[in-house]
Amino acid sequence: MYDLTLIPIHTRQGQPRQQIAGFKASAPSRRPVRSRSDDLLILSLITQGESTISPDVQTAWLDRLSQVFFKTSGSVTSALRSLIETLNLTLMEKNLKLAKEGGWMTGAINLVAVHRRSLYIAQSGLTHAFALTHEGLSHFHDPGRADRGLGVSRTSTIRYFQADLGTGGYLFITDSPPDTWREELLLADGFPSQETLRRRLLNQAPVDFRLDLV
């Protein structure tokens, strides 16, 4: 099993935000199903719209999804799909209540299971995930930008990806990646240290920016 270090980086008008929500990692809960007993789960939820969800509510949602994941048997992808479908219905119910007040919101999520030596990624909404390993940089997203996000339709659009983790590496997630996130820049002078990568990821980043780094 790999060790995970979570580094949430959120800025508003260029200043760090103190309250951070929507980013979580979990190890197996008590008595997980056998097929999940060695897995790790990373969740990154981004919401947008005229309305907001409190950090406590977001935390509760992700805690519940984590618990369900480790109790769900079957393939990794089917377990991740069930979590996204559940979250989509939760956001739809939230939007039905918000509509009476003239509000709305959409969600985008990256669910990442560390299974053996691979990353299994299930993604929905307009969001980007990157895996940087000793083999290079992989970029996972919807190139057609046709995904309307979670909470607007009963059927959620889900994209699946897989990346070999090997001896370890970095995973980073955002909805607005800078153009500088290119392999030749991030891997300049060899595989970067954590602080070097952090500095390179924040180079030319927007003043309002969220980066979930693992």
Side-chain angles (χ1 to χ4, degrees), residues 54-94:
S54 71
D56 289 344
V57 170
Q58 291 190 51
T59 298
W61 286 357
L62 297 189
D63 285 347
R64 178 58 182 160
L65 292 177
S66 297
Q67 294 170 13
V68 171
F69 176 78
F70 292 107
K71 298 294 185 182
T72 303
S73 58
S75 69
V76 176
T77 53
S78 65
L80 295 176
R81 181 181 67 247
S82 68
L83 299 190
I84 290 181
E85 290 172 346
T86 298
L87 179 61
N88 183 54
L89 292 177
T90 301
L91 279 166
M92 279 194 66
E93 293 172 358
K94 185 73 173 177

Side-chain angles (χ1 to χ4, degrees), residues 161-173:
F161 309 98
Q162 185 175 346
D164 292 330
L165 196 51
T167 58
Y170 300 102
L171 171 75
F172 36 100
I173 297 166

Side-chain angles (χ1 to χ4, degrees), residues 166-187:
T167 58
Y170 300 102
L171 171 75
F172 36 100
I173 297 166
T174 188
D175 59 348
S176 54
D179 292 336
T180 52
W181 288 12
R182 301 196 303 271
E183 182 172 317
E184 64 272 20
L185 297 178
L186 298 180
L187 288 176

Side-chain angles (χ1 to χ4, degrees), residues 44-205:
S44 175
L45 171 65
I46 300 171
T47 59
Q48 294 181 336
E50 296 177 352
S51 303
T52 59
I53 304 175
S54 71
D56 289 344
V57 170
Q58 291 190 51
T59 298
W61 286 357
L62 297 189
D63 285 347
R64 178 58 182 160
L65 292 177
S66 297
Q67 294 170 13
V68 171
F69 176 78
F70 292 107
K71 298 294 185 182
T72 303
S73 58
S75 69
V76 176
T77 53
S78 65
L80 295 176
R81 181 181 67 247
S82 68
L83 299 190
I84 290 181
E85 290 172 346
T86 298
L87 179 61
N88 183 54
L89 292 177
T90 301
L91 279 166
M92 279 194 66
E93 293 172 358
K94 185 73 173 177
N95 269 330
L96 289 175
K97 296 177 181 179
L98 291 173
K100 299 176 182 179
E101 305 169 0
W104 61 274
M105 68 186 325
T106 61
I109 195 165
N110 282 276
L111 296 177
V112 184
V114 183
H115 183 74
R116 298 192 177 97
R117 300 177 70 86
S118 295
L119 298 177
Y120 289 79
I121 302 171
Q123 184 182 89
S124 190
L126 293 180
T127 181
H128 299 254
F130 296 79
L132 183 67
T133 70
H134 293 271
E135 301 301 317
L137 179 68
S138 299
H139 181 192
F140 310 109
H141 67 119
D142 174 18
R145 298 184 61 82
D147 192 338
R148 298 171 61 200
L150 298 171
V152 297
S153 171
R154 287 196 171 274
T155 303
S156 50
T157 300
I158 307 176
R159 301 176 294 281
Y160 300 98
F161 309 98
Q162 185 175 346
D164 292 330
L165 196 51
T167 58
Y170 300 102
L171 171 75
F172 36 100
I173 297 166
T174 188
D175 59 348
S176 54
D179 292 336
T180 52
W181 288 12
R182 301 196 303 271
E183 182 172 317
E184 64 272 20
L185 297 178
L186 298 180
L187 288 176
D189 303 318
F191 197 72
S193 67
Q194 179 177 301
E195 181 54 37
T196 297
L197 178 65
R198 184 182 186 278
R199 186 172 62 253
R200 290 174 180 174
L201 291 176
L202 292 176
N203 182 32
Q204 297 184 25

Side-chain angles (χ1 to χ4, degrees), residues 29 85 144 211:
S29 56
E85 290 172 346
L211 165 64

